[in-house]
Amino acid sequence: MSDDGLIRELPRIRKFAETNTAEDESFRQYLKTRLPLSNNELDGVVQGITDAVWEKLDCTTCGNCCRTLQIVVDQKDAARLARRFGITTQAFIERYLAVDQDGLGYFRTSPPCPFLGDDNHCAVYEDRPRACRDFPYLHERNVRSRSYTMVENCATCPIVFNVWERLKERFRPPARSSGKKHR
C-alpha cells in the first residue's frame, strides 16, 4: 500500500476481491437497502471519492480493462472508428468486430483490445468506443442500481477497487445485535 492508502498492485487487488466476497456482498446489500442516504447524496459521495482516487491513479500504468474485458462496440462506435481509419463502417466491422447472437459487436481480438499499445495507451483514444469512455462507470448516476457491477469490477480496475474500499470504510454498517440485552 502506498502513502496515500491506495492499493495499486493487481495481484493484491484480485486477492482482496476474492477474499472479501462475503463482506462485499453484505456491504452491497447494506448500501442498496439500508444506507440512510438518498440516491443523489450517495452518487455525490461516490463522485467525490472517485475524483480523489482517480487523481492519484493513472489508468495507463495498468490497462487491465483493455487486456481483460470484452469491449462492446455499437454502430456509432464502429462508424466513428471507420472514419478514423478512412474505411467504410462495414469494412471496419468485417476487419475488427465479431457480432454475438444479440447483435452486439465486440472486438474480434477482445480481449485484449486491438488498439492497446505496449505502453498501455489507446491508439484510438479520441475515437474509442463508448464502453471505454464510460468505464469504470463511477461517474454515472444511481450507484445503488449498479452496485453489483461495481463489485464485479473491483477485481479488474484499481480505481473501482479503491473507491469501493473507501465506501466501505466510510459507511461501515453498524454491527448487528444478537438480540440479547446486556445488563
Side-chain angles (χ1 to χ4, degrees):
M1 190 172 339
S2 64
D3 290 342
D4 56 19
L6 299 177
I7 298 174
R8 291 166 167 78
E9 306 81 19
L10 278 171
R12 284 186 67 204
I13 288 170
R14 285 185 190 117
K15 182 146 181 79
F16 277 121
E18 184 179 305
T19 305
N20 294 342
T21 303
E23 176 185 307
D24 287 341
E25 180 54 28
S26 175
F27 180 70
R28 189 178 80 78
Q29 286 302 318
Y30 173 74
L31 184 113
K32 283 186 70 104
T33 61
R34 296 188 317 274
L35 181 67
L37 289 180
S38 70
N39 285 337
N40 285 339
E41 289 170 322
L42 179 59
D43 290 345
V45 169
V46 170
Q47 191 99 29
I49 293 172
T50 297
D51 291 346
V53 169
W54 213 308
E55 194 173 285
K56 293 180 166 87
L57 291 177
D58 177 5
C59 290
T60 62
T61 62
C62 176
N64 191 49
C65 55
C66 303
R67 272 194 288 288
T68 61
L69 299 178
Q70 188 174 68
I71 300 164
V72 174
V73 181
D74 67 22
Q75 196 65 29
K76 288 180 182 177
D77 296 329
R80 187 175 51 256
L81 287 161
R83 277 191 306 276
R84 179 185 186 98
F85 292 113
I87 59 177
T88 66
T89 302
Q90 187 58 39
F92 179 84
I93 291 169
E94 289 171 7
R95 182 171 180 183
Y96 290 104
L97 302 183
V99 179
D100 68 13
Q101 64 272 14
D102 297 323
L104 289 175
Y106 56 92
F107 289 124
R108 193 179 303 278
T109 59
S110 181
C113 174
F115 303 117
L116 178 67
D118 292 337
D119 61 356
N120 288 334
H121 284 86
C122 177
V124 296
Y125 187 80
E126 298 80 20
D127 297 311
R128 68 196 184 279
R130 181 171 175 222
C132 301
R133 291 173 190 274
D134 294 348
F135 190 82
Y137 312 112
L138 297 173
H139 285 104
E140 291 183 14
R141 307 301 291 162
N142 205 354
V143 168
R144 278 190 175 96
S145 70
R146 296 179 298 97
S147 60
Y148 180 78
T149 302
M150 191 173 180
V151 172
E152 288 292 306
N153 286 332
C154 281
T156 302
C157 177
I159 293 171
V160 175
F161 173 80
N162 283 285
V163 169
W164 184 252
E165 290 300 308
R166 287 187 174 188
L167 276 173
K168 289 192 306 188
E169 288 170 17
R170 182 162 179 178
F171 297 119
R172 181 109 18 225
R176 290 204 177 231
S177 168
S178 64
K180 296 179 185 176
K181 294 196 177 192
H182 299 279
R183 296 181 196 233

